[in-house]
Amino acid sequence: FVGASIGVVLATPGTTDVDGLVRDADIAMYRAKAGGRGRFMFFEEAMRAVIQARHATDSALHRALEREEFSLDYQPVVDLGSGCICGMEALLRWDEPARGRLWPADFLSSAEDSGLIIPIGSWVLGTALDQTAVWRRCLPNRDLLTMSVNLSGRQLLEPGVVDVVATALAQARLDPRAVCLCLEVTETVLLEDIEAMALRLTALKALGVRLAVDDFGTGYASLNYLQGLPVDILKVDRAFIAGLGVDEKNLAIVQSLINMGRRIGLTVVAEGVENAEQLAVLRQLGCDMAQGFHMARPLPAEKITELLQRDPVW
Ligand code: C2E
Ligand code: MG
Ligand code: MG
């Protein structure tokens, strides 16, 4: 079956710049494609600004790795049984010289489309694991600290991903059997091709890493997929946590998600805990772990080292 996406541009009387018209029609066509294919879009001036910003991001991204413009912040994950920090999630930041700090939402889709997410993702893994090794070696009682790293769909589908993870583990000289790495994959990505995902995830698990379903509950999926995938952890999306204490139905949903996860042997982590009330409810519901601004915002490694030394309990 052949489909078509159409971009339309209206020429003003007397227009002679044919190349310009075709370029604008092209921009409108890409917008039509991005809007769900099989549609048409009329070109508008504002589209050009969006495309230009995107081009600026694309070309700056190409140089960002070698210019060392990326960094990682780490957000503590708290064990709700003991109230202590049991792990970290590594979150990517980009200090772009022209525009200042950029967040994953500003550049991840560009990095995915251009394929640059592959080298960037390897850098994230290597950096996060090296940091884990430092914390495990240099701080007392931190030898079991785990590190969570987000993997994009594009990374996961890349055949080399298993080698990349194995190499990063070996280079950080971390023993993969003393589980130190958790890979987080967004629920929607897992649903794209369950069978291919199951094979890839099984190969990753053989390295001794844990696997988490990120943003759980946002994918509008049949829960059946949980049976077919070798996952260990459910991270309940922060949209559900935000509704705790606001809406009774929401409480029931979070309760069900936690019970379901635990009944099938998974560890349940709540994301986006912003106040003491939410934390208390989650604890009462038997949630295993939590992370969020209430406990700690994502912070650079030095600040996390200080925090780990203070060893706060929530
Ligand atoms: P995520 O993996 O679900 O990460 C949690 C996001 O929620 C982070 O946003 C974090 O800063 C934010 N957050 C944490 N606690 C709270 C809270 O209490 N309240 C609120 N409102 N937000 C909270 P961030 O750092 O902007 O990252 C966004 C997403 O980008 C991540 O969502 C993840 O999917 C992706 N991402 C981040 N780093 C990487 C990376 O290195 N590689 C890949 N492929 N994706 C990444
Ligand atoms: Mg995550
Ligand atoms: Mg999430």
Side-chain angles (χ1 to χ4, degrees), residues 20-34:
L21 279 179
V22 171
R23 191 192 55 226
D24 291 347
D26 215 38
I27 290 173
M29 182 198 66
Y30 279 108
R31 284 294 288 268
K33 274 191 173 174

Side-chain angles (χ1 to χ4, degrees), residues 206-220:
L207 298 175
V209 304
R210 273 191 212 144
L211 299 171
V213 182
D214 208 345
D215 311 322
F216 183 69
T218 57
Y220 309 107

Side-chain angles (χ1 to χ4, degrees), residues 88-100:
M88 294 291 159
E89 176 172 5
L91 295 159
L92 184 60
R93 307 293 180 241
W94 179 19
D95 289 303
E96 210 266 304
R99 283 173 291 173

Side-chain angles (χ1 to χ4, degrees), residues 89 150 184 186 214-216 235-238 271:
E89 176 172 5
N150 295 285
E184 300 192 356
T186 303
D214 208 345
D215 311 322
F216 183 69
K235 296 193 76 170
V236 178
D237 192 72
R238 72 165 182 266
E271 297 190 286

Side-chain angles (χ1 to χ4, degrees), residues 39 46 51 60 70 75 80 82 95-96 126 146 200 219 221 252 257-258 311-312:
R39 309 164 158 235
I51 294 282
F70 290 116
Q75 185 176 39
L80 293 186
S82 65
D95 289 303
E96 210 266 304
T146 59
R200 191 52 55 81
L257 292 179
I258 293 172
D311 201 9

